[in-house]
Amino acid sequence: MATKFDIEGGDIAWCPGCGNYSIHNIVKTALQELDIDPKNLVLVSGIGQAAKAPQYIKCNYFNGLHGRSLPAAVGIKVSNPNLVVIVESGDGCMYGEGGNHFIHAIRRNSDITVLVHDNMVYGLTKGQASPTSEKGFTTPVQVNGVLNEPFNPIAIALSLKCSFVARAFCGDVQETKEIIKRAILHKGFSLVDIFQPCVTFNKINTYKWFKENTYYMKDHDETNINKAFEKALERSPLPLGVFYIEEKPTFESQQRVYKNSSEPLFKRKHNVEKLMNLIESKRRW
């Protein structure tokens, strides 16, 4: 399906069969169906195979340091609340290098959508275990298998009362698209952890494995955090769908600067004299 987010002649540097292709097409279709203007869209990423995603979509984007996508995204959104801000990065970038930012960005509840390409391995650096790798997973570095319990992003997000928490599988195109659309429309921090195979460096968690080891929650109360926790702790099979939604004030809406207007900061006039007077009034000596 052609979309207004397509880049003609773009050279995409992912392995044939990579789950990133599916997420890439799903995200563009979701944006198209929501009729989002590319000029009003900012994609933000860190480092990794998944973090290349914004380069392949017609939009504004910021590609920063490993694990540092969230601070940039929060800064972009708070300086211009009228933008649609989406973060795309992998499980290593988001939950490993960016783990601390992940925790505190959820606490702020900035109105951004976070799409995590979760393939349970570091793909760009050729196959080391990532935070979500299963125990026992062997790699050229973890030759005797991973010893640690896998990071559970859903449970962590719920413990912080993240305002939108969901998990998807890129092999289920329609379901994943609808979850992403709901996440983008939600006012507040939206996490969508998306299972996707790495066909080169993870021969365990394949398309077939994800299909056989996941299921969609039915009749689940998305406003009941205790029930959401119960689902988040299930490991075999792994639940898919929206775990939890809570409506609460966003970080931007609580800033005094936007009390009377959502006009972005760059359009406002700066009054240096007023600023200096304010600084002087706060001096203690």
Side-chain angles (χ1 to χ4, degrees), residues 120 130 132-138 146 148 150 205 209 235 238:
M120 305 179 179
S130 80
T132 56
S133 295
E134 296 284 337
K135 285 185 75 173
F137 180 65
T138 58
V146 172
N148 301 330
N205 307 111
W209 186 93
R235 295 294 306 170
L238 292 153

Side-chain angles (χ1 to χ4, degrees), residues 169 171 197 203-214:
F169 166 48
K203 302 296 185 184
I204 302 298
N205 307 111
T206 61
Y207 283 98
K208 183 174 182 290
W209 186 93
F210 283 118
K211 202 68 177 174
E212 292 176 348
N213 288 275
T214 59

Side-chain angles (χ1 to χ4, degrees), residues 2 31 44 50 95 99 116 127-129 132 171 222 231 240 265 277:
L31 293 169
V44 186
Y95 304 141
V116 183
Q128 300 88 356
T132 56
E222 298 171 349
K231 291 294 182 184
L240 300 174
L265 299 185
N277 289 338

Side-chain angles (χ1 to χ4, degrees), residues 154-168:
I154 304 298
I156 294 293
L158 289 169
S159 73
L160 298 165
K161 299 198 75 177
C162 180
S163 62
F164 185 101
V165 183
R167 181 191 282 144

Side-chain angles (χ1 to χ4, degrees), residues 190-257:
S190 306
L191 169 67
V192 185
D193 184 75
I194 309 172
F195 287 149
Q196 58 125 142
C198 172
V199 296
T200 302
F201 296 110
N202 187 341
K203 302 296 185 184
I204 302 298
N205 307 111
T206 61
Y207 283 98
K208 183 174 182 290
W209 186 93
F210 283 118
K211 202 68 177 174
E212 292 176 348
N213 288 275
T214 59
Y215 78 98
Y216 283 93
M217 296 178 284
K218 293 182 179 177
D219 301 322
H220 172 63
D221 182 356
E222 298 171 349
T223 64
N224 187 326
I225 195 164
N226 292 325
K227 293 293 183 185
F229 259 120
E230 290 179 13
K231 291 294 182 184
L233 297 179
E234 293 182 7
R235 295 294 306 170
S236 182
L238 292 153
L240 300 174
V242 177
F243 287 75
Y244 184 66
I245 299 176
E246 179 179 340
E247 302 294 337
K248 54 185 178 181
T250 66
F251 180 62
E252 300 77 34
S253 68
Q254 298 178 82
Q255 304 305 312
R256 290 182 60 186
V257 70

